[in-house]
Amino acid sequence: MDEGRMVRARPDGTASPYGAYLCPKGLAAVDFHNGAENRLLQSLARQPDGTFAPVDNDAAVDAIAAKLKALVAEHGPRSVAVYHGTGAYRCVLGGLMERAFVAALGTPNFFSTMTIDQSAKWVTMARLGTMASGKNAMRDCDVALLAGGNPLVTHQGAPYAVAESGAPARGFEAARANGCKVILVDPRRTETARFADLLIQPLPGHDAAIFAAIAHILLRDGTYDRAFVEKWCNGLEELRAAVAPFTPEMAAARADVPVEQIELAAKWLGEAHRVTTGSGTGPSFSTHSNANDHMIEVVNALCGGYRREGDRVRNPGTLRTKPVYEMAVSPSRSFERDPKCVSEDTGTLLGEMPSALLPAEIMADHPDRIRALIVFGGDPLMAVGDPAVAKPAFEHLDLLVSLDCRMNETAKLADYVIASSQPFERHEISIPGDALYPAPFAQYTRPVVEKPAGCLHDWEFFWALAHRMGVPLTFKFWAYGLNFADIPEGLDLSGPEKPDPEELCRFLAAGSAVPFDELLAHPEGVRPDMPEQFVQPAPAAGGKLELMPPDVADEMAIIRDEQEEAARPYRLISRRILHAINGAYRHSREAKRRYPVNFAYMNPDDMARDGLCEGDAVEIASDDGMVRTQVKAEDRLRPGVVSMTHMFGPLVSTDDPEADEGANVGQLCSLTRVLEPVNFMPRFSAIPVTVQAYEKH
Ligand SMILES: Nc1nc2c(c(=O)[nH]1)N[C@H]1C(S)=C(S)[C@@H](COP(=O)(O)OP(=O)(O)OC[C@H]3O[C@@H](n4cnc5c(=O)[nH]c(N)nc54)[C@H](O)[C@@H]3O)O[C@H]1N2
Ligand SMILES: Nc1nc2c(c(=O)[nH]1)N[C@H]1C(S)=C(S)[C@@H](COP(=O)(O)OP(=O)(O)OC[C@H]3O[C@@H](n4cnc5c(=O)[nH]c(N)nc54)[C@H](O)[C@@H]3O)O[C@H]1N2
Ligand SMILES: [Mo]
């Protein structure tokens, strides 16, 4: 620090369970706190002429509260929706205050990036069920399989993908040193592939077939975990029937991979003593994403890839330590019950509505349509894609509020943009990572720098809003899977007194294995010495996993009979960059230097065949739209695919990608044509496209 300004950030490995480590976004955060990337330092209100003018936060919250109160009085709480973006996940008090606000208001319209990202995983939980003991940690396995994820860049790992949180390369190194074989399934030889013992590079969109074939082999050879399946699974015969047509030869032909690779992956999985399989965004974004994810999880179940009674629990959580049981939780099929959407016959997944239906829920000719939307740390217009459908809907809202530290594409349409604080300016406690760190660890940090005078903490916004609206808040330690109303302990915040953020954190740490005062004394974090914990037997008769419910069997039959769409020669796939996280840090110095636009990467042979040269201006066209960018050769990509990063450029492109600083690939997606059942997930990968050079004027 120098005179109240941040100068430099360094990783601190004294207590961290993964050593000293800081990613490039962590480094860029210093500049951002200091105002880089046009950080919003003041809240803004839209004027009658459509322009924005600075507004005092009190006045803004007053006006928003008055408008929301009027809407609720006239149309009920359902008229108000909240969207929780990636920026909101990094803000503990803000996220919990938001949950308290939504619960107190009583609206079912809670949306987040999870349902425009990997909600296929939630659909699988709802249709297959889950093992309460969780999956095996990669470090304990002899075989680990990851489909469509690149943790070395994204740091995304457990519980869904296969990788350790924190410093992923170290996790892979440690697992391999223990003898773990790593299998990757990805059209791209990713950065993570340097740890792969087997890399399968399929055409995208065929994971359901590939994993059905692996299940087929495990059943054919009898190498699945019979004891596990007998104890915890229903539907083995239905599964057998559903995967019978998915021979290894058929899947290999569909996905254009050597059949030996599918056989080898199945052999390793079948022979292994301890297995874990999982996926990143790839299979959740592509064609038939729910079936893809279901079949990946079925393979894990056939291998019994979950922690079992007596297994050591590496990290039972520190701030909240929970006993771990070997027990199946039967499918909830929550989406079949009320509350349901008004535009489609589908309900919630883990208490959330499908984000891709936001535009339809706003436009619906229904008394319960959405009329006001609060966006917390997100850019839903960019995230859902298909701006031709989404933008008019957002413009149709009576009230759009963006709580953000950037003027993003959604904020540009908002009535109010509330400038939020940043992590080094606020009180944070390590709830998001609590049980995900490779070892027990907890940290509480006070602000190291004062927030800019014009900014509001995210939690302050939700608290002030509730206070002004007269909505009585109860602050709780909410976590996924919990119904807010059912959580017994809470802090009553209905009084006029603004809460003290440190006291809120103290409340959250009430059940912590490390007392709050010890966390206070150790800003570098604490790695507690905890007694070893082991998975316990199920306390009661557990549920069962449903390997092949009828709706999944129907989807598999559709896939079995499907013909490849041949009209467009390439498949567009997703990729992420190390120097930005979705839209955030995209305008940092390093990100802009490396990525003046989001290039279209292609296999060099494909480029040569199409007469394309490095840097050529190209048009990428799908059935739903077109974007322009520059092409770049990448021999890591298999032939037949084009790979681009999302969240670049303005919502709608001009004809100059360089001036636009990239192109929004969401313009190639559809919110009306190709949506998955249940979660209404659009297709963000395996999008059929053509690539063509064009003359720049
Ligand atoms: N640096 C950085 N970190 C991030 C983010 C970021 O933008 N930047 N974003 C964060 C967010 S919001 C998320 S959700 C996570 C995502 O984390 P990951 O899932 O690890 O994200 P990606 O790197 O895009 O990896 C997806 C992979 O799937 C492959 N793929 C595409 N289609 C298919 C397919 O049909 N089948 C298979 N098997 N593979 C396919 C792609 O080639 C790609 O390598 O990362 C988070 N972390
Ligand atoms: N075509 C296509 N579409 C995609 C994807 C894709 O790969 N391809 N990926 C999908 C995925 S996985 C995701 S997760 C979504 C991402 O969708 P979103 O999360 O909606 O988009 P982001 O751009 O990440 O928005 C995050 C916002 O949070 C803000 N922010 C950062 N820190 C804070 C904070 O402390 N407080 C507040 N209030 N705001 C903060 C940032 O400035 C940024 O504007 O997009 C989805 N859409
Ligand atoms: Mo995401």
Side-chain angles (χ1 to χ4, degrees):
M1 299 288 302
D2 184 31
E3 293 182 1
R5 224 177 125 82
M6 288 170 58
V7 180
R8 197 157 66 102
R10 269 184 300 120
D12 175 359
T14 46
S16 155
Y18 47 83
Y21 185 81
L22 192 63
C23 78
K25 280 92 59 201
L27 289 170
V30 176
D31 289 345
F32 188 65
H33 277 74
N34 289 329
E37 284 194 68
N38 293 323
R39 175 179 175 187
L40 275 176
L41 297 169
Q42 224 171 4
S43 298
L44 301 168
R46 182 177 298 282
Q47 305 302 299
D49 68 355
T51 60
F52 282 112
V55 64
D56 174 71
N57 282 322
D58 277 336
V61 175
D62 277 341
I64 296 166
K67 180 84 198 177
L68 290 179
K69 233 181 136 165
L71 285 173
V72 171
E74 195 179 343
H75 304 288
R78 260 200 94 135
S79 59
V80 181
V82 173
Y83 172 88
H84 181 100
T86 11
Y89 290 96
R90 69 202 299 242
C91 180
V92 171
L93 296 181
L96 292 175
M97 205 65 87
E98 173 202 37
R99 293 276 171 177
F101 174 73
V102 170
L105 198 63
T107 175
N109 278 319
F110 190 90
F111 298 82
S112 83
T113 46
M114 189 57 199
T115 60
I116 193 79
D117 171 337
Q118 295 163 72
S119 52
K121 274 102 173 166
W122 287 0
V123 174
T124 299
M125 287 168 72
R127 301 200 294 190
L128 181 123
T130 44
M131 284 302 289
S133 49
K135 289 190 180 177
N136 289 320
M138 188 173 61
R139 273 183 204 239
D140 297 326
C141 290
D142 358 323
V143 175
L145 181 151
L146 172 60
N150 188 14
L152 244 69
V153 166
T154 61
H155 297 72
Q156 177 168 280
Y160 297 122
V162 171
E164 252 178 41
S165 80
R170 289 178 202 169
F172 279 103
E173 275 159 16
R176 294 187 83 213
N178 287 349
C180 177
K181 285 201 274 249
V182 175
I183 305 173
L184 293 186
V185 183
D186 199 304
R188 180 168 176 263
R189 192 177 75 244
T190 58
E191 289 74 2
T192 308
R194 73 171 210 252
F195 295 109
D197 297 281
L198 172 63
L199 169 65
I200 303 179
Q201 282 189 272
L203 281 170
H206 295 292
D207 296 273
I210 294 168
F211 286 88
I214 292 177
H216 177 110
I217 299 169
L218 293 170
L219 295 172
R220 178 196 71 192
D221 297 352
T223 47
Y224 67 97
D225 185 335
R226 281 167 202 269
F228 179 84
V229 170
E230 263 167 36
K231 190 166 180 193
W232 294 120
C233 302
N234 284 335
L236 186 65
E237 290 320 307
E238 289 81 354
L239 173 66
R240 211 183 277 280
V243 301
F246 290 88
T247 61
E249 291 73 21
M250 180 259 216
R254 287 261 177 114
D256 188 31
V257 295
V259 67
E260 296 76 24
Q261 293 188 344
I262 295 181
E263 289 281 356
L264 185 62
K267 181 172 175 334
W268 285 359
L269 289 163
E271 286 172 356
H273 174 62
R274 211 180 269 269
V275 159
T276 183
T277 73
S279 63
T281 47
S284 293
F285 277 179
S286 62
T287 327
H288 304 299
S289 60
N290 295 328
N292 293 343
D293 194 78
H294 193 94
M295 291 315 302
I296 293 168
E297 200 61 34
V298 159
V299 165
N300 197 65
L302 287 177
C303 297
Y306 308 94
R307 293 187 294 200
R308 313 285 269 281
E309 185 182 336
D311 285 352
R312 195 175 135 214
V313 180
R314 289 182 170 274
N315 176 11
T318 304
L319 294 168
R320 186 140 287 197
T321 307
K322 283 181 299 195
V324 178
Y325 299 103
E326 181 184 331
M327 186 176 78
V329 180
S330 296
S332 68
R333 301 197 71 94
S334 59
F335 55 88
E336 291 175 341
R337 294 191 301 271
D338 283 338
K340 288 206 171 162
C341 291
V342 299
S343 61
E344 295 285 351
D345 182 24
T346 197
T348 57
L349 293 165
L350 283 183
E352 301 193 11
M353 297 289 202
S355 287
L357 289 181
L358 252 176
E361 294 291 295
I362 296 167
M363 297 304 274
D365 182 13
H366 193 284
D368 278 342
R369 71 180 191 85
I370 293 170
R371 294 162 202 270
L373 174 65
I374 300 173
V375 175
F376 172 17
D379 197 353
L381 262 179
M382 289 292 279
V384 299
D386 200 348
V389 167
K391 187 168 181 249
F394 277 54
E395 286 168 338
H396 190 59
L397 285 163
D398 292 354
L399 178 70
L400 175 60
V401 178
S402 171
L403 176 60
D404 211 291
C405 42
R406 291 179 179 83
M407 193 67 186
N408 64 28
E409 295 302 305
T410 305
K412 284 179 188 164
L413 292 189
D415 300 294
Y416 293 91
V417 186
I418 305 295
S420 89
S421 63
Q422 282 293 283
F424 290 116
E425 297 159 358
R426 59 196 182 210
H427 300 75
E428 289 290 5
I429 185 159
S430 55
I431 287 177
D434 195 45
L436 297 179
Y437 297 118
F441 173 75
Q443 188 177 20
Y444 167 70
T445 52
R446 284 178 169 159
V448 293
V449 56
E450 220 172 294
K451 75 172 161 64
C455 293
L456 207 58
H457 295 305
D458 296 307
W459 69 264
E460 282 181 315
F461 171 75
F462 286 105
W463 176 82
L465 199 56
H467 180 61
R468 304 285 217 295
M469 290 175 71
V471 173
L473 283 191
T474 309
F475 185 78
K476 294 184 176 179
F477 192 137
W478 173 87
Y480 282 100
L482 298 179
N483 188 352
F484 197 87
D486 298 340
I487 304 170
E489 316 87 41
L491 267 184
D492 177 9
L493 300 183
S494 58
E497 197 80 2
K498 184 157 139 184
D500 171 29
E502 187 150 302
E503 288 313 306
L504 294 175
C505 292
R506 187 181 287 279
F507 165 79
L508 294 172
S512 172
V514 180
F516 188 69
D517 288 319
E518 194 179 334
L519 292 174
L520 252 180
H522 292 280
E524 76 281 16
V526 179
R527 284 181 72 173
D529 242 340
M530 288 212 204
E532 288 221 328
Q533 291 236 16
F534 299 91
V535 177
Q536 297 170 30
K544 289 271 181 152
L545 303 182
E546 293 295 334
L547 294 174
M548 190 49 61
D551 48 350
V552 182
D554 291 346
E555 287 164 31
M556 293 308 291
I558 290 172
I559 296 172
R560 179 195 65 206
D561 297 338
E562 203 166 51
Q563 303 290 320
E564 180 66 22
E565 307 155 75
R568 296 183 187 270
Y570 293 104
R571 297 290 172 266
L572 182 83
I573 62 175
S574 51
R575 73 193 282 141
R576 284 172 148 74
I577 56 175
L578 186 61
H579 291 77
I581 172 153
N582 301 326
Y585 301 110
R586 246 251 299 117
H587 295 96
S588 66
R589 215 171 349 151
E590 276 301 297
K592 275 179 75 161
R593 188 174 67 75
R594 286 158 197 262
Y595 306 101
V597 297
N598 47 339
F599 302 105
Y601 294 89
M602 288 177 74
N603 177 285
D605 295 340
D606 284 343
M607 283 174 63
R609 205 195 41 232
D610 288 357
L612 294 171
C613 298
E614 183 84 359
D616 275 359
V618 287
E619 283 179 359
I620 317 273
S622 73
D623 290 345
D624 297 287
M626 186 270 283
V627 295
R628 291 175 163 173
T629 184
Q630 298 170 25
V631 67
K632 244 187 197 298
E634 192 185 49
D635 67 6
R636 289 169 169 274
L637 284 171
R638 60 152 294 141
V641 298
V642 179
S643 137
M644 283 180 82
T645 304
H646 60 301
M647 294 281 177
F648 271 70
L651 184 65
V652 178
S653 302
T654 71
D655 58 9
D656 186 347
E658 284 77 23
D660 281 352
E661 301 187 323
N664 172 17
V665 291
Q667 294 170 108
L668 301 173
C669 306
S670 169
L671 284 172
T672 50
R673 245 177 16 85
V674 273
L675 295 160
E676 294 299 321
V678 182
N679 58 351
F680 291 83
M681 181 66 189
R683 195 186 296 180
F684 289 159
S685 187
I687 303 170
V689 293
T690 45
V691 182
Q692 219 163 19
Y694 73 96
E695 278 302 319
K696 292 178 73 166
H697 322 289

